[in-house]
Amino acid sequence: MNLVIFGPPGAGKGTQSKFIVNKYNLYQLSTGELLRKEIIKKTSLGSEISSTINRGKLVSDKIASDLIEKFISNNEYKNRLIFDGYPRNEAQAENLNKLLSKYNQKINLVLKLSVSLDVIKKRIIGRSVCSICGKIYNEFFNPAPKNTDCCFSRFLQKRSDDTLDIAITRYQTYEKNIKPVTDFYEDTNLLKVVNGETPIDQITKEISALIEGI
Ligand code: AP5
Ligand code: MG
Protein backbone atom coordinates (compact mmCIF):
# COMPACT_ATOMS: atom_id res chain seq x y z
CA MET A 1 0.00 0.00 0.00
CA ASN A 2 1.12 3.58 -0.73
CA LEU A 3 -0.15 6.51 1.33
CA VAL A 4 -0.04 10.28 1.01
CA ILE A 5 -0.09 12.45 4.13
CA PHE A 6 -0.39 16.18 3.73
CA GLY A 7 -1.26 19.23 5.78
CA PRO A 8 0.18 22.60 6.76
CA PRO A 9 3.59 23.05 8.42
CA GLY A 10 3.55 21.55 11.90
CA ALA A 11 0.36 19.57 11.21
CA GLY A 12 1.98 16.36 12.47
CA LYS A 13 2.84 14.69 9.15
CA GLY A 14 6.27 13.56 10.36
CA THR A 15 5.05 12.54 13.82
CA GLN A 16 2.25 10.37 12.44
CA SER A 17 4.35 8.96 9.57
CA LYS A 18 6.91 7.61 12.05
CA PHE A 19 4.19 5.66 13.90
CA ILE A 20 2.63 4.32 10.70
CA VAL A 21 6.01 3.25 9.34
CA ASN A 22 6.70 1.11 12.41
CA LYS A 23 3.23 -0.37 12.61
CA TYR A 24 2.78 -1.30 8.94
CA ASN A 25 6.40 -1.78 7.80
CA LEU A 26 6.26 1.14 5.39
CA TYR A 27 8.91 3.67 4.38
CA GLN A 28 8.52 7.39 5.12
CA LEU A 29 9.42 9.45 2.07
CA SER A 30 9.60 12.98 3.48
CA THR A 31 10.62 15.40 0.73
CA GLY A 32 11.48 17.98 3.43
CA GLU A 33 13.90 15.56 5.14
CA LEU A 34 15.47 14.57 1.81
CA LEU A 35 15.96 18.23 0.92
CA ARG A 36 17.60 18.91 4.29
CA LYS A 37 19.98 15.98 3.64
CA GLU A 38 20.92 17.57 0.32
CA ILE A 39 21.71 20.84 2.15
CA ILE A 40 24.10 19.02 4.52
CA LYS A 41 26.12 17.81 1.50
CA LYS A 42 27.02 21.48 0.83
CA THR A 43 26.56 21.16 -2.95
CA SER A 44 25.43 24.07 -5.15
CA LEU A 45 22.02 22.36 -5.38
CA GLY A 46 22.02 22.24 -1.56
CA SER A 47 22.65 25.96 -1.28
CA GLU A 48 19.82 26.73 -3.74
CA ILE A 49 17.50 24.47 -1.72
CA SER A 50 18.57 26.07 1.57
CA SER A 51 17.78 29.57 0.32
CA THR A 52 14.31 28.47 -0.89
CA ILE A 53 13.44 26.59 2.31
CA ASN A 54 14.54 29.50 4.50
CA ARG A 55 12.23 31.81 2.55
CA GLY A 56 9.29 29.48 3.21
CA LYS A 57 8.77 28.82 -0.51
CA LEU A 58 8.57 25.57 -2.50
CA VAL A 59 11.61 24.18 -4.30
CA SER A 60 11.07 23.52 -8.02
CA ASP A 61 8.75 20.71 -9.08
CA LYS A 62 11.69 19.16 -10.98
CA ILE A 63 13.91 18.93 -7.87
CA ALA A 64 11.07 17.40 -5.82
CA SER A 65 10.11 14.97 -8.60
CA ASP A 66 13.69 13.71 -9.06
CA LEU A 67 13.87 12.99 -5.32
CA ILE A 68 10.70 10.91 -5.19
CA GLU A 69 11.32 9.01 -8.42
CA LYS A 70 14.46 7.46 -6.90
CA PHE A 71 12.25 5.77 -4.30
CA ILE A 72 9.25 4.94 -6.49
CA SER A 73 11.54 3.21 -8.99
CA ASN A 74 13.30 1.16 -6.28
CA ASN A 75 11.79 -2.30 -5.78
CA GLU A 76 12.77 -2.29 -2.11
CA TYR A 77 10.10 0.36 -1.48
CA LYS A 78 7.51 -0.92 -3.96
CA ASN A 79 3.98 -0.44 -2.55
CA ARG A 80 5.26 0.56 0.88
CA LEU A 81 5.72 4.32 0.63
CA ILE A 82 4.26 7.11 2.73
CA PHE A 83 4.58 10.36 0.85
CA ASP A 84 5.06 12.94 3.62
CA GLY A 85 4.89 16.41 2.11
CA TYR A 86 4.48 15.43 -1.55
CA PRO A 87 2.44 16.55 -3.49
CA ARG A 88 2.19 20.24 -2.55
CA ASN A 89 0.56 21.62 -5.70
CA GLU A 90 -1.56 20.45 -8.63
CA ALA A 91 1.39 19.70 -10.92
CA GLN A 92 2.97 17.51 -8.23
CA ALA A 93 -0.31 15.63 -7.65
CA GLU A 94 -0.52 14.84 -11.37
CA ASN A 95 3.17 13.95 -11.50
CA LEU A 96 2.85 11.55 -8.58
CA ASN A 97 0.08 9.63 -10.33
CA LYS A 98 2.15 9.48 -13.52
CA LEU A 99 5.26 8.23 -11.74
CA LEU A 100 3.35 5.62 -9.76
CA SER A 101 1.65 4.24 -12.85
CA LYS A 102 5.01 4.19 -14.70
CA TYR A 103 6.21 1.75 -11.99
CA ASN A 104 2.88 -0.16 -11.74
CA GLN A 105 1.81 1.31 -8.43
CA LYS A 106 -0.99 3.50 -7.10
CA ILE A 107 -2.06 5.47 -4.05
CA ASN A 108 -4.39 3.64 -1.68
CA LEU A 109 -5.21 6.37 0.82
CA VAL A 110 -4.68 10.13 1.19
CA LEU A 111 -4.69 11.67 4.67
CA LYS A 112 -5.12 15.38 5.16
CA LEU A 113 -4.30 16.66 8.65
CA SER A 114 -6.19 19.88 9.35
CA VAL A 115 -4.70 22.30 11.90
CA SER A 116 -5.26 26.05 12.39
CA LEU A 117 -2.51 28.65 12.12
CA ASP A 118 -2.70 29.49 15.85
CA VAL A 119 -1.88 25.90 16.82
CA ILE A 120 0.80 25.66 14.14
CA LYS A 121 2.75 28.63 15.54
CA LYS A 122 3.30 26.93 18.92
CA ARG A 123 4.07 23.58 17.31
CA ILE A 124 6.77 25.10 15.11
CA ILE A 125 8.32 27.29 17.78
CA GLY A 126 8.41 24.42 20.30
CA ARG A 127 9.72 21.72 17.96
CA SER A 128 13.09 20.01 18.22
CA VAL A 129 14.32 16.86 16.49
CA CYS A 130 16.83 14.32 17.83
CA SER A 131 19.82 14.41 15.50
CA ILE A 132 20.65 10.78 16.38
CA CYS A 133 17.33 8.92 15.94
CA GLY A 134 15.09 11.50 14.21
CA LYS A 135 12.38 11.51 16.92
CA ILE A 136 10.29 14.68 16.92
CA TYR A 137 9.59 16.53 20.19
CA ASN A 138 7.87 19.68 21.34
CA GLU A 139 8.73 21.64 24.46
CA PHE A 140 5.03 22.55 25.02
CA PHE A 141 3.17 19.40 23.92
CA ASN A 142 5.55 16.48 23.68
CA PRO A 143 8.84 17.04 25.56
CA ALA A 144 11.78 14.64 25.24
CA PRO A 145 11.80 12.16 28.15
CA LYS A 146 14.27 12.79 30.99
CA ASN A 147 15.41 9.14 31.15
CA THR A 148 16.45 8.33 27.64
CA ASP A 149 19.09 6.22 25.93
CA CYS A 150 19.37 8.60 23.02
CA CYS A 151 17.54 11.94 22.90
CA PHE A 152 19.68 14.01 25.33
CA SER A 153 19.21 17.77 25.13
CA ARG A 154 22.61 18.22 23.42
CA PHE A 155 21.34 16.13 20.50
CA LEU A 156 18.07 18.02 20.09
CA GLN A 157 18.19 20.36 17.11
CA LYS A 158 16.01 23.19 15.82
CA ARG A 159 15.29 23.56 12.11
CA SER A 160 16.51 26.78 10.46
CA ASP A 161 13.02 27.36 8.97
CA ASP A 162 11.29 27.03 12.36
CA THR A 163 11.04 30.75 13.12
CA LEU A 164 7.68 32.45 13.52
CA ASP A 165 8.09 34.58 10.38
CA ILE A 166 9.12 31.69 8.13
CA ALA A 167 6.42 29.46 9.62
CA ILE A 168 3.75 32.02 8.68
CA THR A 169 5.12 32.25 5.12
CA ARG A 170 5.22 28.44 4.90
CA TYR A 171 1.58 28.36 5.99
CA GLN A 172 0.67 30.96 3.34
CA THR A 173 2.56 28.96 0.69
CA TYR A 174 0.57 25.88 1.73
CA GLU A 175 -2.78 27.71 1.60
CA LYS A 176 -1.99 29.19 -1.81
CA ASN A 177 -1.22 25.85 -3.47
CA ILE A 178 -3.18 23.14 -1.71
CA LYS A 179 -6.80 23.59 -2.86
CA PRO A 180 -6.33 21.82 -6.24
CA VAL A 181 -4.50 18.98 -4.45
CA THR A 182 -7.43 18.50 -2.06
CA ASP A 183 -9.88 18.62 -4.99
CA PHE A 184 -7.75 16.18 -6.99
CA TYR A 185 -7.90 13.51 -4.27
CA GLU A 186 -11.51 14.22 -3.34
CA ASP A 187 -12.47 13.49 -6.94
CA THR A 188 -10.80 10.08 -6.77
CA ASN A 189 -12.45 9.23 -3.39
CA LEU A 190 -9.08 8.64 -1.76
CA LEU A 191 -9.17 11.61 0.61
CA LYS A 192 -9.78 11.34 4.36
CA VAL A 193 -9.59 14.50 6.44
CA VAL A 194 -8.30 13.99 9.99
CA ASN A 195 -8.51 16.58 12.76
CA GLY A 196 -4.83 17.23 13.51
CA GLU A 197 -5.54 19.17 16.72
CA THR A 198 -6.39 16.20 18.94
CA PRO A 199 -3.70 14.35 20.98
CA ILE A 200 -0.99 12.51 19.02
CA ASP A 201 -2.08 8.98 20.05
CA GLN A 202 -5.73 9.70 19.26
CA ILE A 203 -4.77 10.75 15.72
CA THR A 204 -2.61 7.62 15.36
CA LYS A 205 -5.62 5.46 16.31
CA GLU A 206 -7.84 7.25 13.82
CA ILE A 207 -5.28 6.85 11.04
CA SER A 208 -4.76 3.16 11.90
CA ALA A 209 -8.52 2.58 11.59
CA LEU A 210 -8.53 4.28 8.18
CA ILE A 211 -5.60 2.15 7.00
CA GLU A 212 -7.25 -1.03 8.21
CA GLY A 213 -10.39 -0.06 6.33
CA ILE A 214 -8.60 0.04 2.96
P1 AP5 B 1 8.79 19.86 5.44
O1 AP5 B 1 9.99 19.42 6.18
O2 AP5 B 1 7.88 18.85 4.91
O3 AP5 B 1 8.04 20.93 6.34
P2 AP5 B 1 6.47 21.28 6.49
O4 AP5 B 1 5.60 20.84 5.39
O5 AP5 B 1 6.47 22.74 6.78
O6 AP5 B 1 6.03 20.41 7.67
P3 AP5 B 1 6.78 20.20 9.04
O7 AP5 B 1 7.83 19.14 8.86
O8 AP5 B 1 7.20 21.50 9.60
O9 AP5 B 1 5.61 19.69 9.96
P4 AP5 B 1 4.98 18.25 10.17
O10 AP5 B 1 3.61 18.27 9.61
O11 AP5 B 1 5.89 17.17 9.72
O12 AP5 B 1 4.85 18.26 11.75
P5 AP5 B 1 5.64 17.43 12.88
O13 AP5 B 1 5.16 16.03 12.93
O14 AP5 B 1 7.10 17.68 12.82
O15 AP5 B 1 9.28 20.77 4.24
C1 AP5 B 1 10.21 21.81 4.49
C2 AP5 B 1 10.40 22.65 3.24
O16 AP5 B 1 10.94 21.83 2.19
C3 AP5 B 1 9.14 23.27 2.63
O17 AP5 B 1 8.80 24.48 3.27
C4 AP5 B 1 9.59 23.49 1.19
O18 AP5 B 1 10.44 24.61 1.09
C5 AP5 B 1 10.42 22.25 0.92
N1 AP5 B 1 9.62 21.14 0.37
C6 AP5 B 1 9.27 19.99 1.00
N2 AP5 B 1 8.53 19.21 0.20
C7 AP5 B 1 8.41 19.88 -0.97
C8 AP5 B 1 7.73 19.61 -2.19
N3 AP5 B 1 7.00 18.49 -2.36
N4 AP5 B 1 7.81 20.53 -3.18
C9 AP5 B 1 8.52 21.67 -3.03
N5 AP5 B 1 9.16 22.00 -1.89
C10 AP5 B 1 9.11 21.11 -0.87
O19 AP5 B 1 5.04 18.15 14.20
C11 AP5 B 1 5.31 19.52 14.46
C12 AP5 B 1 5.42 19.73 15.98
O20 AP5 B 1 4.14 19.53 16.58
C13 AP5 B 1 6.38 18.76 16.70
O21 AP5 B 1 7.04 19.46 17.72
C14 AP5 B 1 5.45 17.67 17.27
O22 AP5 B 1 5.98 17.11 18.45
C15 AP5 B 1 4.19 18.48 17.55
N6 AP5 B 1 2.95 17.72 17.34
C16 AP5 B 1 2.66 16.90 16.28
N7 AP5 B 1 1.40 16.42 16.40
C17 AP5 B 1 0.90 16.95 17.55
C18 AP5 B 1 -0.37 16.83 18.21
N8 AP5 B 1 -1.37 16.09 17.71
N9 AP5 B 1 -0.55 17.51 19.36
C19 AP5 B 1 0.46 18.29 19.90
N10 AP5 B 1 1.68 18.43 19.32
C20 AP5 B 1 1.88 17.77 18.15
MG1 MG C 1 7.77 17.08 8.76
Side-chain angles (χ1 to χ4, degrees):
M1 113 184 119
N2 292 310
L3 311 178
V4 167
I5 184 161
F6 75 97
K13 303 181 291 293
T15 301
Q16 294 302 329
S17 294
K18 289 184 198 314
F19 284 114
I20 305 168
V21 158
N22 289 335
K23 196 164 172 192
Y24 299 97
N25 187 31
L26 301 178
Y27 182 84
Q28 178 195 4
L29 199 174
S30 158
T31 40
E33 282 182 17
L34 293 171
L35 290 166
R36 285 186 285 280
K37 281 189 185 149
E38 196 60 46
I39 294 173
I40 291 169
K41 290 187 204 157
K42 296 207 182 297
T43 56
S44 62
L45 177 64
S47 92
E48 182 192 330
I49 292 169
S50 166
S51 137
T52 308
I53 286 185
N54 289 323
R55 281 183 292 116
K57 305 288 184 194
L58 297 182
V59 305
S60 73
D61 290 341
K62 165 90 172 78
I63 292 177
S65 177
D66 289 349
L67 284 177
I68 63 162
E69 185 164 5
K70 281 187 196 147
F71 289 84
I72 296 173
S73 61
N74 184 334
N75 259 336
E76 193 184 330
Y77 305 114
K78 190 164 187 178
N79 286 318
R80 46 184 296 258
L81 287 168
I82 303 180
F83 295 91
D84 161 2
Y86 192 101
R88 294 195 189 224
N89 59 30
E90 189 172 19
Q92 292 188 5
E94 285 166 0
N95 184 53
L96 180 58
N97 264 8
K98 259 190 233 150
L99 285 177
L100 285 170
S101 79
K102 181 174 167 190
Y103 295 100
N104 296 315
Q105 298 178 65
K106 62 175 185 164
I107 296 164
N108 302 89
L109 179 66
V110 178
L111 300 161
K112 177 180 184 174
L113 292 175
S114 66
V115 180
S116 68
L117 179 58
D118 271 350
V119 172
I120 284 165
K121 288 179 187 167
K122 232 172 161 182
R123 290 212 184 156
I124 296 282
I125 296 308
R127 172 169 50 195
S128 56
V129 180
C130 176
S131 56
I132 307 296
C133 71
K135 275 199 188 127
I136 304 169
Y137 295 106
N138 191 290
E139 67 182 84
F140 308 112
F141 308 117
N142 177 30
K146 291 255 179 322
N147 297 322
T148 165
D149 289 337
C150 172
C151 313
F152 298 106
S153 58
R154 66 179 183 281
F155 297 137
L156 298 182
Q157 289 185 341
K158 293 270 183 196
R159 276 171 42 180
S160 64
D161 60 343
D162 274 356
T163 65
L164 191 55
D165 283 355
I166 304 174
I168 291 171
T169 313
R170 281 156 62 197
Y171 180 78
Q172 289 165 343
T173 302
Y174 170 82
E175 285 284 292
K176 191 173 136 204
N177 291 293
I178 213 64
K179 168 101 175 46
V181 177
T182 307
D183 294 346
F184 185 86
Y185 289 125
E186 231 165 20
D187 290 347
T188 50
N189 279 327
L190 289 170
L191 183 74
K192 300 285 177 202
V193 181
V194 174
N195 178 358
E197 296 194 359
T198 57
I200 291 174
D201 51 351
Q202 189 175 321
I203 298 171
T204 309
K205 273 189 203 142
E206 203 175 317
I207 290 178
S208 300
L210 290 169
I211 291 175
E212 274 145 40
I214 292 175

mmCIF file of all heavy atoms in Angstrom, residues 14 28 32 34 52 58 66 69 80 91 110-111 119 123 128 143 146 156 161 176 195 208-209:
data_model
loop_
_atom_site.group_PDB
_atom_site.id
_atom_site.type_symbol
_atom_site.label_atom_id
_atom_site.label_comp_id
_atom_site.label_asym_id
_atom_site.label_seq_id
_atom_site.Cartn_x
_atom_site.Cartn_y
_atom_site.Cartn_z
ATOM 1 N N GLY A 14 5.093 14.358 9.983
ATOM 2 C CA GLY A 14 6.269 13.558 10.355
ATOM 3 C C GLY A 14 5.989 12.690 11.570
ATOM 4 O O GLY A 14 6.313 11.491 11.586
ATOM 5 N N GLN A 28 8.930 5.982 5.141
ATOM 6 C CA GLN A 28 8.525 7.392 5.119
ATOM 7 C C GLN A 28 9.361 8.169 4.112
ATOM 8 O O GLN A 28 10.559 8.327 4.308
ATOM 9 C CB GLN A 28 8.700 8.010 6.515
ATOM 10 C CG GLN A 28 8.336 9.488 6.575
ATOM 11 C CD GLN A 28 8.858 10.172 7.832
ATOM 12 O OE1 GLN A 28 9.569 9.559 8.643
ATOM 13 N NE2 GLN A 28 8.507 11.428 8.009
ATOM 14 N N GLY A 32 10.775 16.992 2.599
ATOM 15 C CA GLY A 32 11.476 17.984 3.426
ATOM 16 C C GLY A 32 12.761 17.404 4.006
ATOM 17 O O GLY A 32 13.824 18.031 3.942
ATOM 18 N N LEU A 34 14.512 14.834 2.896
ATOM 19 C CA LEU A 34 15.468 14.572 1.806
ATOM 20 C C LEU A 34 16.147 15.866 1.359
ATOM 21 O O LEU A 34 17.349 15.884 1.091
ATOM 22 C CB LEU A 34 14.761 13.920 0.612
ATOM 23 C CG LEU A 34 14.229 12.499 0.851
ATOM 24 C CD1 LEU A 34 13.367 12.056 -0.334
ATOM 25 C CD2 LEU A 34 15.387 11.519 1.043
ATOM 26 N N THR A 52 15.760 28.567 -0.661
ATOM 27 C CA THR A 52 14.310 28.475 -0.889
ATOM 28 C C THR A 52 13.575 28.086 0.400
ATOM 29 O O THR A 52 12.566 28.702 0.766
ATOM 30 C CB THR A 52 14.015 27.414 -1.993
ATOM 31 O OG1 THR A 52 14.811 27.701 -3.130
ATOM 32 C CG2 THR A 52 12.548 27.413 -2.374
ATOM 33 N N LEU A 58 8.401 26.945 -2.022
ATOM 34 C CA LEU A 58 8.575 25.567 -2.499
ATOM 35 C C LEU A 58 9.779 25.478 -3.425
ATOM 36 O O LEU A 58 9.986 26.369 -4.268
ATOM 37 C CB LEU A 58 7.340 25.110 -3.281
ATOM 38 C CG LEU A 58 6.018 25.041 -2.506
ATOM 39 C CD1 LEU A 58 4.910 24.529 -3.420
ATOM 40 C CD2 LEU A 58 6.142 24.168 -1.275
ATOM 41 N N ASP A 66 12.492 14.561 -8.971
ATOM 42 C CA ASP A 66 13.687 13.705 -9.064
ATOM 43 C C ASP A 66 13.924 12.949 -7.753
ATOM 44 O O ASP A 66 14.306 11.778 -7.759
ATOM 45 C CB ASP A 66 14.927 14.542 -9.404
ATOM 46 C CG ASP A 66 14.888 15.041 -10.849
ATOM 47 O OD1 ASP A 66 14.023 14.567 -11.605
ATOM 48 O OD2 ASP A 66 15.710 15.906 -11.198
ATOM 49 N N GLU A 69 11.235 10.097 -7.428
ATOM 50 C CA GLU A 69 11.320 9.007 -8.421
ATOM 51 C C GLU A 69 12.363 7.959 -8.010
ATOM 52 O O GLU A 69 12.180 6.755 -8.260
ATOM 53 C CB GLU A 69 11.612 9.545 -9.832
ATOM 54 C CG GLU A 69 11.563 8.406 -10.869
ATOM 55 C CD GLU A 69 11.445 8.849 -12.314
ATOM 56 O OE1 GLU A 69 11.495 10.068 -12.577
ATOM 57 O OE2 GLU A 69 11.312 7.947 -13.187
ATOM 58 N N ARG A 80 5.154 0.353 -0.568
ATOM 59 C CA ARG A 80 5.263 0.560 0.877
ATOM 60 C C ARG A 80 5.757 1.961 1.216
ATOM 61 O O ARG A 80 6.486 2.176 2.168
ATOM 62 C CB ARG A 80 6.104 -0.540 1.548
ATOM 63 C CG ARG A 80 7.399 -0.923 0.888
ATOM 64 C CD ARG A 80 8.049 -2.072 1.620
ATOM 65 N NE ARG A 80 8.411 -1.695 2.974
ATOM 66 C CZ ARG A 80 9.655 -1.387 3.365
ATOM 67 N NH1 ARG A 80 10.645 -1.417 2.512
ATOM 68 N NH2 ARG A 80 9.887 -1.080 4.609
ATOM 69 N N ALA A 91 0.453 20.364 -10.002
ATOM 70 C CA ALA A 91 1.392 19.703 -10.921
ATOM 71 C C ALA A 91 2.042 18.498 -10.235
ATOM 72 O O ALA A 91 2.232 17.441 -10.852
ATOM 73 C CB ALA A 91 2.463 20.698 -11.370
ATOM 74 N N VAL A 110 -5.266 8.795 1.028
ATOM 75 C CA VAL A 110 -4.679 10.128 1.187
ATOM 76 C C VAL A 110 -5.211 10.736 2.483
ATOM 77 O O VAL A 110 -6.422 10.840 2.673
ATOM 78 C CB VAL A 110 -5.055 11.042 -0.008
ATOM 79 C CG1 VAL A 110 -4.489 12.441 0.201
ATOM 80 C CG2 VAL A 110 -4.550 10.454 -1.316
ATOM 81 N N LEU A 111 -4.302 11.108 3.375
ATOM 82 C CA LEU A 111 -4.689 11.671 4.667
ATOM 83 C C LEU A 111 -4.357 13.155 4.682
ATOM 84 O O LEU A 111 -3.222 13.542 4.402
ATOM 85 C CB LEU A 111 -3.913 10.978 5.793
ATOM 86 C CG LEU A 111 -4.122 9.470 5.899
ATOM 87 C CD1 LEU A 111 -2.997 8.826 6.708
ATOM 88 C CD2 LEU A 111 -5.482 9.178 6.544
ATOM 89 N N VAL A 119 -2.492 27.116 16.257
ATOM 90 C CA VAL A 119 -1.878 25.903 16.824
ATOM 91 C C VAL A 119 -0.506 25.673 16.185
ATOM 92 O O VAL A 119 0.474 25.335 16.855
ATOM 93 C CB VAL A 119 -2.807 24.679 16.615
ATOM 94 C CG1 VAL A 119 -2.116 23.386 17.025
ATOM 95 C CG2 VAL A 119 -4.106 24.859 17.378
ATOM 96 N N ARG A 123 3.440 24.861 17.686
ATOM 97 C CA ARG A 123 4.070 23.584 17.307
ATOM 98 C C ARG A 123 5.437 23.817 16.672
ATOM 99 O O ARG A 123 6.389 23.085 16.929
ATOM 100 C CB ARG A 123 3.173 22.840 16.330
ATOM 101 C CG ARG A 123 1.915 22.333 17.011
ATOM 102 C CD ARG A 123 1.475 21.067 16.370
ATOM 103 N NE ARG A 123 0.222 20.601 16.925
ATOM 104 C CZ ARG A 123 -0.594 19.824 16.268
ATOM 105 N NH1 ARG A 123 -0.304 19.441 15.035
ATOM 106 N NH2 ARG A 123 -1.704 19.404 16.845
ATOM 107 N N SER A 128 11.677 20.368 18.393
ATOM 108 C CA SER A 128 13.087 20.012 18.221
ATOM 109 C C SER A 128 13.114 18.560 17.732
ATOM 110 O O SER A 128 12.154 17.804 17.936
ATOM 111 C CB SER A 128 13.879 20.169 19.521
ATOM 112 O OG SER A 128 13.284 19.404 20.522
ATOM 113 N N PRO A 143 7.416 16.864 25.261
ATOM 114 C CA PRO A 143 8.842 17.041 25.562
ATOM 115 C C PRO A 143 9.621 15.737 25.514
ATOM 116 O O PRO A 143 9.057 14.662 25.743
ATOM 117 C CB PRO A 143 8.837 17.626 26.975
ATOM 118 C CG PRO A 143 7.486 17.350 27.529
ATOM 119 C CD PRO A 143 6.541 17.110 26.401
ATOM 120 N N LYS A 146 13.035 12.505 30.207
ATOM 121 C CA LYS A 146 14.268 12.793 30.990
ATOM 122 C C LYS A 146 15.204 11.565 30.977
ATOM 123 O O LYS A 146 16.399 11.687 30.800
ATOM 124 C CB LYS A 146 13.900 13.121 32.434
ATOM 125 C CG LYS A 146 13.165 14.448 32.574
ATOM 126 C CD LYS A 146 14.103 15.511 33.145
ATOM 127 C CE LYS A 146 13.508 16.887 33.313
ATOM 128 N NZ LYS A 146 12.607 17.407 32.335
ATOM 129 N N LEU A 156 19.319 17.486 20.638
ATOM 130 C CA LEU A 156 18.067 18.024 20.092
ATOM 131 C C LEU A 156 18.356 19.269 19.255
ATOM 132 O O LEU A 156 19.006 20.196 19.718
ATOM 133 C CB LEU A 156 17.085 18.357 21.216
ATOM 134 C CG LEU A 156 16.634 17.174 22.069
ATOM 135 C CD1 LEU A 156 15.626 17.622 23.121
ATOM 136 C CD2 LEU A 156 16.042 16.048 21.217
ATOM 137 N N ASP A 161 14.256 26.719 9.448
ATOM 138 C CA ASP A 161 13.025 27.364 8.966
ATOM 139 C C ASP A 161 11.937 27.394 10.050
ATOM 140 O O ASP A 161 10.808 27.778 9.777
ATOM 141 C CB ASP A 161 12.499 26.675 7.683
ATOM 142 C CG ASP A 161 12.176 25.190 7.873
ATOM 143 O OD1 ASP A 161 12.635 24.591 8.868
ATOM 144 O OD2 ASP A 161 11.454 24.633 7.012
ATOM 145 N N LYS A 176 -1.912 28.714 -0.422
ATOM 146 C CA LYS A 176 -1.986 29.194 -1.807
ATOM 147 C C LYS A 176 -2.028 28.035 -2.808
ATOM 148 O O LYS A 176 -2.636 28.135 -3.859
ATOM 149 C CB LYS A 176 -0.739 30.066 -2.070
ATOM 150 C CG LYS A 176 -0.780 30.853 -3.340
ATOM 151 C CD LYS A 176 0.407 31.784 -3.408
ATOM 152 C CE LYS A 176 0.996 31.709 -4.803
ATOM 153 N NZ LYS A 176 2.394 32.097 -4.853
ATOM 154 N N ASN A 195 -8.751 15.430 11.896
ATOM 155 C CA ASN A 195 -8.511 16.585 12.757
ATOM 156 C C ASN A 195 -7.133 16.444 13.398
ATOM 157 O O ASN A 195 -6.907 15.558 14.213
ATOM 158 C CB ASN A 195 -9.614 16.650 13.827
ATOM 159 C CG ASN A 195 -9.407 17.807 14.792
ATOM 160 O OD1 ASN A 195 -8.420 18.546 14.692
ATOM 161 N ND2 ASN A 195 -10.333 17.966 15.726
ATOM 162 N N SER A 208 -4.860 4.627 11.976
ATOM 163 C CA SER A 208 -4.758 3.156 11.898
ATOM 164 C C SER A 208 -6.087 2.564 11.438
ATOM 165 O O SER A 208 -6.115 1.647 10.604
ATOM 166 C CB SER A 208 -4.402 2.559 13.263
ATOM 167 O OG SER A 208 -3.178 3.071 13.696
ATOM 168 N N ALA A 209 -7.201 3.096 11.980
ATOM 169 C CA ALA A 209 -8.523 2.577 11.588
ATOM 170 C C ALA A 209 -8.769 2.823 10.101
ATOM 171 O O ALA A 209 -9.314 1.953 9.397
ATOM 172 C CB ALA A 209 -9.610 3.232 12.433
#
